[in-house]
Amino acid sequence: MDLNYTPEELAFADEVRQWVRANLPPETRDRVLQHQHLSKEEQVEWQRRLHARGWGGPRWPKEYGGPGWTSVQQHLFDEVLSEEGAPQALPFGLSMIGPVLMAYGSQKQKDYYLPRILRMDDWWCQGFSEPGSGSDLASLRMKAELDGDEWVLNGQKTWTTLGQYANMIFLLARTDPAAKKQQGISMLLADMSTPGITLRPIITVDGAHEVNEVFFDNVRVPKENIVGQPGMGWSYAKFLLSHERTNIARIGRSKAELTRLKKIATEEKVEGVPLMETPGFREKVAAVEIELMALELTNLRMIAAEQSGQAPGAEANMLKIKGSEIQQTLTELMMEAVGPYALPYNPEAREHGWKKGEPIGPEYAAPLAPDYFNYRKVTIYGGSNEIQRNILAKAVLGL
Ligand SMILES: Cc1cc2nc3c(=O)[nH]c(=O)nc-3n(C[C@H](O)[C@H](O)[C@H](O)COP(=O)(O)OP(=O)(O)OC[C@H]3O[C@@H](n4cnc5c(N)ncnc54)[C@H](O)[C@@H]3O)c2cc1C
């Protein structure tokens, strides 16, 4: 196994870099690098530019409008985009419902929804979790009953990320109450403007509106909005989650954050000496850098195995655990680097159009605490790390 990039792969990375530099709006880049929330319009605009270049669905096969890249090209693409401060692609359409529709959707669903995902004509959200049904997702209680040509949905979803922007939701509901837990669950698609759907914001510990509760009260959706076969939703959900977990390690982003951490720690001084040159802090940065390099190599090993035809196994769970822990460590070290300046934190520092006023301490300190609080989420979502460890214990150690 050769883990070095070929000259062609390096040339590809360079082509992506040049294109991003020429096409990423500078104000969007600045907002990404300053860790501010992007507006819906900015996110959509960036996706449309990528799509116009043919790069809207980097992991999609050619058949559905993707570039048909190798896994190495996909990895390099992610890495360059993160380095250059491009917005993270939203997973809900591209990495979640898109691949599910490709594998299990009807021809009509594929023809209609897949091009709309690439152009981002639809903003999708994920309606899986319910109060009391997160890790134990199969205990979900939302009901869908067939009434003539329509499904009637009743129940509640929660933690629905960016549901406030979404016009479409894919969800799991119980269509056969008599069947055992995992059976009797179906996957359905619903237009968020359907009467009976109510969305309520959840404001998280960082002061942001990122997640929501969504209530369904006699919501009628067309019969054809079921994905695949009734009662097969659990298998489709597992397929979807394996895609979600592989992309969740965010290696490219963590590499960019590590560079940012070093920059901050070089500007911050302890008795005139840059923090980065003090042995204690240097050691902590080195430790996380080593972890990140190891994670990247694990990812490359997984890519190499994939290219030689082996299906990804427990590596996806490992990537999720390590990737999320590294992301959290980086936010912790940045807080530590600015010391007391991280305390007077202003959640608005992450909002679009924030009027800076007089910053308390260096400008880069303002979003660090909201980021730190926000990143508590990464070890919870996409299947909590405790659950990932349970899977590894069973699948790898046979416990
Ligand atoms: C910011 C954020 C965004 C999210 N976005 C979405 C979204 O868009 N759509 C969506 O459907 N869901 C979303 N989720 C929900 C997410 O998938 C769940 O929060 C997650 O699966 C955990 O479920 P829970 O919150 O119900 O916690 P619980 O399942 O109640 O778990 C509580 C704690 O107990 C631990 N635990 C539970 N069971 C076990 C076990 N068997 N062994 C060991 N430990 C265990 C967990 O690890 C956790 O620490 C989001 C969550 C967050 C925080």
Side-chain angles (χ1 to χ4, degrees):
M1 181 180 12
D2 181 1
L3 295 180
N4 290 313
Y5 296 123
T6 64
E8 292 76 24
E9 285 162 353
L10 292 172
F12 165 80
D14 204 44
E15 183 194 346
V16 174
R17 190 171 295 110
Q18 298 314 324
W19 185 87
V20 174
R21 285 183 184 167
N23 288 279
L24 176 63
E27 52 292 356
T28 302
R29 179 179 187 273
D30 289 350
R31 257 191 284 284
V32 170
L33 294 177
Q34 286 163 22
H35 288 207
Q36 291 193 341
H37 292 133
L38 298 180
S39 67
K40 178 175 181 176
E41 293 69 31
E42 267 174 314
Q43 195 81 44
V44 172
E45 172 61 22
W46 177 237
Q47 174 60 24
R48 291 198 173 149
R49 287 189 190 198
L50 286 171
H51 176 53
R53 177 65 185 81
W55 295 346
R59 288 184 164 72
W60 284 27
K62 270 197 165 145
E63 182 191 353
Y64 294 115
W69 284 336
T70 62
S71 312
V72 174
Q73 284 176 306
Q74 293 165 14
H75 171 77
L76 286 170
F77 182 74
D78 286 351
E79 191 160 300
V80 171
L81 259 61
S82 296
E83 273 168 22
E84 294 299 321
Q88 289 283 327
L90 290 167
F92 308 105
L94 286 172
S95 321
M96 296 188 183
I97 193 64
V100 169
L101 292 179
M102 285 175 211
Y104 306 108
S106 66
Q107 195 56 46
K108 200 169 159 196
Q109 286 169 342
K110 290 183 201 179
D111 293 345
Y112 182 73
Y113 290 118
L114 295 179
R116 294 177 63 84
I117 290 175
L118 286 178
R119 280 196 307 269
M120 218 166 166
D121 291 344
D122 293 321
W123 185 302
W124 285 90
C125 63
Q126 179 188 24
F128 280 14
S129 306
E130 297 181 7
S133 303
S135 304
D136 184 16
L137 187 59
S139 67
L140 64 89
R141 281 169 298 169
M142 177 144 171
K143 272 196 304 196
E145 290 163 303
L146 202 54
D147 180 23
D149 281 345
E150 291 172 325
W151 293 100
V152 184
L153 306 178
N154 278 292
Q156 185 198 338
K157 295 292 170 184
T158 193
W159 305 121
T160 318
T161 300
L162 300 180
Q164 70 269 34
Y165 297 146
N167 64 309
M168 290 298 296
I169 183 166
F170 55 90
L171 55 89
L172 295 176
R174 206 163 277 291
T175 43
D176 181 358
K180 275 204 209 139
K181 244 182 160 184
Q182 278 86 351
Q183 290 132 27
I185 292 176
S186 300
M187 190 179 283
L188 291 146
L189 314 175
D191 187 320
M192 289 289 280
S193 64
T194 317
I197 298 184
T198 317
L199 184 129
R200 207 159 65 189
I202 301 174
I203 303 302
T204 41
V205 65
D206 57 332
H209 176 196
E210 196 172 285
V211 286
N212 303 273
E213 293 178 288
V214 187
F215 299 87
F216 294 77
D217 186 12
N218 287 319
V219 174
R220 303 185 80 88
V221 302
K223 191 177 168 187
E224 64 190 32
N225 279 23
I226 192 159
V227 177
Q229 300 300 316
M232 290 297 290
W234 188 253
S235 322
Y236 308 152
K238 280 202 301 196
F239 175 87
L240 181 149
L241 290 172
S242 71
H243 278 257
E244 182 182 359
R245 281 173 200 150
T246 318
N247 301 335
I248 225 164
R250 301 259 184 107
I251 296 168
R253 187 183 184 280
S254 286
K255 283 172 83 174
E257 287 304 286
L258 180 69
T259 308
R260 180 167 176 244
L261 169 66
K262 287 180 182 173
K263 227 160 137 185
I264 292 177
T266 306
E267 298 215 5
E268 292 297 314
K269 308 269 185 324
V270 184
E271 293 171 1
V273 179
L275 184 62
M276 200 52 215
E277 287 171 24
T278 61
F281 199 78
R282 218 178 154 73
E283 205 172 289
K284 290 181 190 172
V285 175
V288 71
E289 186 159 9
I290 291 166
E291 290 267 310
L292 185 53
M293 282 169 76
L295 183 73
E296 190 179 14
L297 287 172
T298 306
N299 193 38
L300 289 173
R301 269 194 291 127
M302 190 168 127
I303 289 172
E306 235 176 74
Q307 287 192 326
S308 60
Q310 293 168 38
E315 291 88 345
N317 309 88
M318 225 153 71
L319 287 176
K320 191 315 156 134
I321 296 172
K322 276 293 167 195
S324 55
E325 286 177 354
I326 290 169
Q327 288 174 65
Q328 289 187 341
T329 305
L330 287 165
T331 64
E332 283 157 24
L333 288 176
M334 280 193 222
M335 290 269 282
E336 193 179 326
V338 297
Y341 291 126
L343 280 180
Y345 92 88
N346 185 350
E348 286 168 17
R350 296 185 80 224
E351 295 309 323
H352 189 81
W354 176 55
K355 303 264 181 305
K356 289 198 180 81
E358 200 55 45
I360 304 169
E363 215 172 273
Y364 53 68
L368 295 185
D371 261 1
Y372 165 82
F373 289 120
N374 185 272
Y375 269 69
R376 301 305 93 195
K377 70 186 176 189
V378 295
T379 46
I380 303 172
Y381 67 27
S384 74
N385 283 19
E386 289 79 11
I387 296 296
Q388 304 302 315
R389 287 195 164 88
N390 283 353
I391 297 172
L392 285 180
K394 218 167 154 181
V396 181
L397 304 175
L399 297 173

